[in-house]
Amino acid sequence: MSKHTIALPQGFILGAAASAWQTEGWSGKKAGQDSYLDAWYQQDRHVWHNGYGPAVATDFINRFREDVALMKAAGLTHYRTSINWSRFLTDYENAVVDEEYAAYYDLLIDEMRRQGIELMLCLEHYELPLQLLEAYGGWQSKHVVELFTRYAEKVFARYAGKVTRWFVFNEPIVVQTRVYLDALRWPYEQNTHKWMQWNHHKNLATAKVVKLFRQQGYAGTVGTILNPEVTYPRSSAAHDVKAAKIYDLFYNRVFLDPAIKGVYPAELLQLLDKHKVQWDVTEEELAIIAANTVDEVGLNLYYPHRVKAPSRAWHPETPFHPAFYYEHFELPGRRMNRSRGWEIQPRIVFDMAQRMKEEYGNLPWFVAESGMGIENEAQFKDAQGEIQDDYRINFIAEHLYQAVRAREAGSNCQGYMLWAFTDNVSPMNAFKNRYGLIEIDLDNQRQRRMKKSAHWFRQLRDTQQLTLNIDDEAK
């Protein structure tokens, strides 16, 4: 081991993230305001760990003042969450604002400004209104793109004078990949055509919202938050390299390129055409995407993804899926977070940073989510009841170090944000794996307690210096 100390760049973001549905709970939610996530939980409660879901979550909607005080105590410079589209409106067609829910955000924004923490707001973090899924097939519909733009217009009109950093989506690829590509989540329909249509309409919605924001002349920036899976081939052999390149096309570049470059990759379009993937796209829509690229991107980086060339022929009766071109590969001896089943490889941050610099015009970007979820954290409590989460401190330090290194190497990396500020609900996982700087005690009225990592994070912010041990010595 060798000890390293590195200064943080001036103004470097040290924040944390969450979403509306994973924290707020249903307090005050009205009939007809269910989101896709609410419906999934109601339909399939048995697949959510120990039955926990979005119904109460962390009850942030009633306890936000307490939580904002904890944000300040933990040293956060920024906090990113979402506005729940399904709750912000009472009439999705006519964009009628739910004044009770909107007033809660007025109070939250004011409280965060009072405490000196910058709020970053996302317009959609899986919170598609159930009504629009049932009536129009959700993002399958171009009409839903227009309804989303009307919703964004109402949000900007109310809050854009106080919030200056906006994001259209968080992880726009996830829902349709889980539902329509892999059929792992309700309502379980393997349909690659729908998957690509959802992708396109979210790209189109991003461009339309960017255009709206700029036409209205609001101060600040508008971007999006993506979750590129930093992908490595099993080997340097051409067949493995091809598998990784195609995986990257379908899961990363399908959103990175339209958001930043304004175009779909030609290779992706060729493969979609080759496999007769049917999706409705017009020249006018492509022109809107081309003319309205984002100001910045947040990138959610958790683990590397490794692939190899397929070892078996595709079954002729199985509809096309991108897995036609790859198989997943697990690196022997890899370092693991065994609670989550994910490989730990901090290098992904630096490698993605280099890619942003070399392939994407060095657009401003930041690590929007990075974190370590651990099961049964109570086993790490000390005599005073504080969770001694040194594993989380080490994880943050190693990944943050790579972000700072990338900045020093010329990448336009603006900061590092942790998932998550508090323990919160995740899809299916519920509260099984804990990610927070702050513990949520489910057995004690969701009492909040700072973990060791929260005190460490505050010290990091105060000193503006990162010190860590790196395993880089021959033994």
Side-chain angles (χ1 to χ4, degrees), residues 300-352:
N300 298 345
L301 301 170
Y302 287 93
Y303 57 91
H305 198 90
R306 302 182 188 275
V307 298
K308 61 182 179 179
S311 57
R312 296 175 177 83
W314 195 254
H315 194 285
E317 295 181 10
T318 300
F320 173 70
H321 182 290
F324 182 96
Y325 288 103
Y326 67 84
E327 290 178 9
H328 299 291
F329 172 68
E330 294 185 348
L331 181 70
R334 66 201 180 281
R335 184 175 158 207
M336 291 286 291
N337 172 2
R338 300 199 180 279
S339 288
R340 195 66 181 87
W342 288 349
E343 181 181 346
I344 299 173
Q345 178 47 271
R347 192 184 89 198
I348 62 173
V349 176
F350 189 86
D351 288 350
M352 191 67 209

Side-chain angles (χ1 to χ4, degrees), residues 361-378:
N362 219 11
L363 186 81
W365 71 280
F366 60 97
V367 179
E369 290 180 21
S370 172
M372 188 173 195
I374 294 293
E375 189 173 358
N376 188 25
E377 279 200 319

Side-chain angles (χ1 to χ4, degrees), residues 73-75 389 437-438 450-459:
D389 54 341
L437 296 172
I438 310 296
M450 294 176 75
K451 302 177 188 178
K452 183 179 179 179
S453 58
H455 302 291
W456 176 85
F457 205 81
R458 174 58 185 263
Q459 184 180 31

Side-chain angles (χ1 to χ4, degrees), residues 4 6-9 12 230 232 301 335 344-354 365-367 370 394-416 466 468-472:
H4 290 249
I6 190 169
L8 301 183
F12 203 69
V230 181
Y232 302 106
L301 301 170
R335 184 175 158 207
I344 299 173
Q345 178 47 271
R347 192 184 89 198
I348 62 173
V349 176
F350 189 86
D351 288 350
M352 191 67 209
Q354 290 295 100
W365 71 280
F366 60 97
V367 179
S370 172
N394 293 335
F395 183 98
I396 298 169
E398 289 180 317
H399 288 75
L400 174 58
Y401 177 69
Q402 295 293 331
V404 176
R405 276 190 63 228
R407 172 73 168 259
E408 291 180 341
S411 178
N412 202 356
C413 178
Q414 303 294 304
Y416 178 93
L466 171 66
L468 74 162
N469 293 315
I470 298 178
D471 187 3
D472 58 359

